[in-house]
Structure formats: structure tokens, C-alpha cells
Amino acid sequence: MSIDDCRVIELPKISDPRGNLTFIEGETHVPYDIKRVYYLYDVPGGAERGGHAHKNLHQLMIAMSGSFDVVLDDGKRRRSVHLNRSYLGLYVPTMIWRELNNFSSGAVCMVLASEKYDEADYYRDYDEFCEVVRDADSFS
Ligand code: TYD
């Protein structure tokens, strides 16, 4: 998996003078069935979230309010994506290390995950993650 497999998905947006509406259907707008939704909010200035990769889980991150940056890292390259629209979702597949930072005041990050919470699915140590990526490369 590479950081090029991470992409911003433009979600349907029904524009209306009464207020806009966006909807997301599992397997239609995201390439998986949505099993869990969680959100980060009340993030203090300067705080960083994430700092892990997943073995099997993929997810879509949306800035429901405010903005933040997502740093994506596949063990070889890094890039950063700025999210600030509630109709844009960042799709992050398996085996991508991510860090979320630069949260604006009032930012809300909603995550649509392909799996229920399972601590065993996480790599929380960056060096270990890089080692697993290197080992996988040497077998391919
Ligand atoms: P973590 O995934 O490390 O948060 P983030 O990556 O957004 O910074 O989770 C923080 C804590 O919350 C950790 O103790 C696990 C717990 N948690 C759950 O119990 N269920 C969940 O669905 C999530 C995402 C986290």
C-alpha cells in the first residue's frame, strides 16, 4: 500500500438555500461496508491525534467542522492533506501511518471505519510499522 492509494473522495452534496446536505452510503461512496463511526472534537490547540497504522481497517475522514491536516506515511514517503470541507472525505486504506494535527478551533473529525474497534489491528510503534513494511517489500 502506498500514500498514492490515499485519495480525497468528493461526496454527494445537495445544495439548498435552507442548508446543504451530504450523505454517505457504505459500498457506494466508500469502498467498504461502514461498521463504526467515531469523531474527534474539543481538540486543544497544538494537540496531535492518530500516530498509528491499521493492519486491516480502512477509513474515511471528514472535517465536519473546521479544519485539520492529515499526514500520511507508507514507511517510504510522506504527504500531508488539509481537510476543511464537510463534503470531502480522505480515504485511508490499510497499512498507512497517519498523524492528525493543526486542528482549528471547533474542528470535528468524523471517521467512518470498515471495522469495529480492535486494538490488535493497530501498529502504534512507528519503527515497528516501518520494519513490517520493509519485510513485506523484501518478500515481494
Ligand atoms: P486512538 O485510536 O488512539 O485515537 P486517535 O488515533 O484518534 O488519536 O484511540 C484513543 C483511545 O480511544 C484508545 O484508548 C482506544 C479508544 N477507542 C475506542 O475504545 N473505540 C474506538 O472506536 C476508538 C477509535 C478508540
Side-chain angles (χ1 to χ4, degrees):
M1 209 52 82
S2 106
I3 50 172
D4 300 326
D5 297 307
C6 303
R7 62 183 194 276
V8 173
I9 294 177
E10 183 160 353
L11 300 163
K13 178 181 171 188
I14 312 290
S15 299
D16 190 306
R18 300 172 299 160
N20 300 331
L21 182 152
T22 286
F23 55 94
I24 307 160
E25 294 177 356
E27 287 171 345
T28 303
H29 305 106
V30 289
Y32 55 86
D33 190 25
I34 298 163
K35 296 232 179 82
R36 176 168 54 111
V37 177
Y38 66 93
Y39 33 96
L40 301 168
Y41 55 99
D42 290 348
V43 179
E48 185 161 287
R49 301 292 315 218
H52 56 74
H54 285 284
K55 297 173 188 172
N56 294 309
L57 176 149
H58 23 182
Q59 61 184 211
L60 190 81
M61 295 178 192
I62 303 169
M64 297 303 286
S65 179
S67 65
F68 52 87
D69 293 337
V70 186
V71 179
L72 301 163
D73 182 327
D74 56 18
K76 287 173 223 136
R77 289 185 298 139
R78 282 197 153 210
R79 72 181 168 105
S80 177
V81 177
H82 183 64
L83 290 179
N84 62 354
R85 293 282 181 269
S86 37
Y87 59 88
L88 296 178
L90 174 64
Y91 171 67
V92 182
T94 60
M95 294 305 286
I96 300 289
W97 186 269
R98 89 289 315 272
E99 286 158 15
L100 285 74
N101 58 30
N102 198 24
F103 284 86
S104 69
S105 131
V108 179
C109 168
M110 184 173 76
V111 180
L112 309 180
S114 67
E115 307 297 334
K116 290 190 177 170
Y117 175 73
D118 176 10
E119 187 57 35
D121 189 63
Y122 283 71
Y123 289 107
R124 289 197 183 270
D125 182 289
Y126 182 70
D127 292 337
E128 183 198 359
F129 166 71
C130 290
E131 208 169 298
V132 171
V133 169
R134 266 197 308 274
D135 286 353
D137 279 355
S138 65
F139 279 113
S140 62

